[in-house]
Amino acid sequence: MKGFRASLLRFVAGDELERIDDALVVVDRGLIVDAGDHGALARRHPGVEIVDWRGLLIAPGFIDTHVHFAQVDAIASLADGLLQWLERCTFPQEARFGDPEHACVVADFFLDELARNGVTSAMVWCTSHLASTEAFFAASARRGLRMIAGKCLMDRNSPATVCDDTERGLAQTEALIGRWHGRDRLGYAITPRFAPACSERQLRGVAELARAREDVWLQSHLAETREEVAWVARLFPGSRSYLDVYDRLGLLRPRSVYAHCIHLDDADRVRMRESGASAAVCPNSNLFLGSGLFDFAAAARTRISWALASDVGAGPSLSPFRTMLAAYEVARLAGVSLTPGLLWHRHTLGAARALDLADRIGNVAAGMEADFVALDPRATALLARRSASAASLDELLFAMIVLGDDRVVRHTVIAGEAAVRVG
Ligand code: GUN
Ligand code: ZN
């Protein structure tokens, strides 16, 4: 049993954030046993070994709901929009992941970077190569992480180096579910790339697998750019919309997460909400590629489930602070002001809810898994200066969102243990 003493940021009464100035978080065997005011808890748990982090702010670990581990070397690549970026910059990088050694090296680098940025769980894309998926799950298992991931399925309109055989891809998916789903803290996501890169036969196979295994996740891309939407309309002339392609095949369901969801109409949004599917909102990626702006007002109006994501490598940063700031700025362009509490929620507890994991991760509370971060509101001179004059918790959170990056994350705790850097 171990107790971490610091300030504490946690969700109470549903989705409200509160701060306890002097708190104790008691952990045992990977779980949070107790969390609250230090005075009361120290009496309740006499003799626990104390880790003294006073001056820091313990907060729930961040959750990235959409990220491609094999695209770390595609970050910062020049291209004229999504489809050119995929063809020229991304697929050549992904093609290298048939090599197990390369996949292992990048998986470890990527997980080190997630920890450094305070991200404790993520919904991750591997490439179409079995080796990339095995490498990612094995590396996550070694670190005791709660991760969801899947092998990318793409059997058409893609270069041969990353294109997959329809039946083999589905058989490998089934085998990977058997090998990794539910092992330690790992979960499997069936991962069809997007409608233009998946044959109807492949998508029907995906639907069959998804129907048979409601406990398994499903992830894809949806309505990211206008050019892509027009391509889907040509490929699937019988569908009312891009979302309708997935809907008709039965691919919208709880535990399904669709990245981007920009070019939708309200009929699509209502269907998304009814189906229990969630949107992974990737504002940094959307700005970088010039894809469009997620409509936060329409999302609120239609009450779709959404959470934040980096979408590295189209997104240039794994930092949740950079993503929250971009979400704020994108919403401002439409005249909407997202509150600091909402931004923080959609990268922690709200993200856990979108992944149907809110009973385990996303908050620092008794019974939850002990995945949390210790943040330093004085990490940089400017942030120290601005946070010193913050008159409320909202102001402090907003200062960290606007001015923060990986330097704010002083410790990342995974299952009660400080994350150890590999390599
Ligand atoms: N659509 C299909 N594949 C991808 C991808 O790798 N990144 C992004 N941003 N969009 C996609
Ligand atoms: Zn993506």
Side-chain angles (χ1 to χ4, degrees), residues 4-10 25 32 53 56-63 114-121 320-321 324 344 347-348 362-364 369-377 400 405-406 408-419:
F4 295 83
R5 185 174 182 182
S7 295
L8 172 63
L9 181 70
R10 65 174 181 184
V25 179
I32 297 168
W53 283 348
L56 302 180
L57 178 66
I58 289 179
F62 291 103
I63 299 167
L114 281 192
R116 238 170 35 71
N117 282 286
V119 177
T120 49
S121 286
F321 298 101
M324 290 189 286
W344 212 283
H347 230 326
T348 52
N363 200 6
V364 181
E369 295 173 0
D371 293 345
F372 51 84
V373 290
L375 306 177
D376 183 0
M400 285 196 278
D405 53 32
D406 53 329
V408 172
V409 181
R410 285 278 296 278
H411 304 281
T412 300
V413 173
I414 304 293
E417 303 292 336

Side-chain angles (χ1 to χ4, degrees), residues 45-380:
H45 305 280
V48 299
E49 176 199 338
I50 300 287
V51 179
D52 191 346
W53 283 348
R54 275 178 289 179
L56 302 180
L57 178 66
I58 289 179
F62 291 103
I63 299 167
D64 190 337
T65 58
H66 183 91
V67 58
H68 300 253
F69 100 84
Q71 291 181 9
V72 288
D73 295 319
I75 292 176
S77 298
L78 284 161
D80 292 335
L82 170 68
L83 299 178
Q84 195 192 77
W85 177 81
L86 285 173
E87 201 73 26
R88 292 204 194 151
C89 316
T90 311
F91 293 151
Q93 283 302 333
E94 293 194 11
R96 303 171 66 196
F97 283 76
D99 171 7
E101 197 173 318
H102 178 68
C104 284
V105 169
V106 178
D108 271 326
F109 176 83
F110 173 80
L111 291 174
D112 282 345
E113 284 295 293
L114 281 192
R116 238 170 35 71
N117 282 286
V119 177
T120 49
S121 286
M123 194 156 187
V124 176
W125 284 63
C126 307
T127 68
S128 53
H129 313 91
L130 197 56
S132 75
T133 317
E134 289 289 346
F136 183 78
F137 276 120
S140 299
R142 281 197 297 276
R143 296 166 190 242
L145 288 160
R146 179 166 287 289
M147 285 285 161
I148 302 170
K151 179 195 118 84
C152 186
L153 296 165
M154 46 196 299
D155 68 347
R156 65 167 172 173
N157 296 326
S158 317
T161 48
V162 290
C163 199
D164 203 11
D165 174 78
T166 310
E167 299 306 327
R168 193 187 56 203
L170 291 167
Q172 288 177 337
T173 296
E174 208 169 352
L176 284 163
I177 291 171
R179 194 146 60 242
W180 292 108
H181 184 73
R183 177 162 160 186
D184 303 325
R185 293 205 290 159
L186 304 173
Y188 196 84
I190 307 167
T191 304
R193 184 150 213 142
F194 64 161
C198 300
S199 68
E200 197 151 334
R201 195 150 68 93
Q202 187 172 59
L203 291 174
R204 286 194 192 287
V206 164
E208 212 172 293
L209 283 172
R211 239 189 332 270
R213 292 295 302 262
E214 286 180 359
D215 56 326
V216 163
W217 283 267
L218 173 61
Q219 60 179 343
S220 194
H221 296 92
L222 169 64
E224 181 175 0
T225 72
R226 291 198 186 285
E227 192 185 3
E228 170 204 4
V229 172
W231 191 13
V232 170
R234 289 195 300 277
L235 290 170
F236 298 88
S239 289
R240 191 197 73 82
S241 67
Y242 191 161
L243 178 121
D244 191 46
V245 172
Y246 296 140
D247 196 12
R248 280 172 182 233
L249 290 158
L251 300 182
L252 301 182
R253 72 185 213 343
R255 293 198 171 198
S256 67
V257 177
Y258 289 88
H260 308 298
C261 302
I262 294 172
H263 305 285
L264 303 180
D265 60 20
D266 275 0
D268 290 331
R269 294 187 183 96
V270 167
R271 263 308 293 150
M272 249 187 117
R273 185 192 69 226
E274 286 172 352
S275 71
S278 292
V281 177
C282 313
N284 258 326
S285 160
N286 302 154
L287 292 171
F288 181 79
L289 291 177
S291 305
L293 306 176
F294 182 78
D295 191 335
F296 289 97
R301 190 175 65 236
T302 53
R303 290 182 289 114
I304 66 169
S305 161
W306 63 269
L308 290 172
S310 69
D311 192 30
V312 156
S317 171
L318 287 168
S319 174
F321 298 101
R322 296 281 303 274
T323 300
M324 290 189 286
L325 176 58
Y328 177 82
E329 291 170 339
V330 164
R332 277 307 309 141
L333 288 171
V336 174
S337 296
L338 301 176
T339 64
L342 180 69
L343 291 163
W344 212 283
H345 179 262
R346 298 306 166 117
H347 230 326
T348 52
L349 185 58
R353 200 164 290 150
L355 301 182
D356 193 23
L357 286 171
D359 57 336
R360 296 170 185 209
I361 55 172
N363 200 6
V364 181
M368 305 288 277
E369 295 173 0
D371 293 345
F372 51 84
V373 290
L375 306 177
D376 183 0
R378 285 177 291 279
T380 69

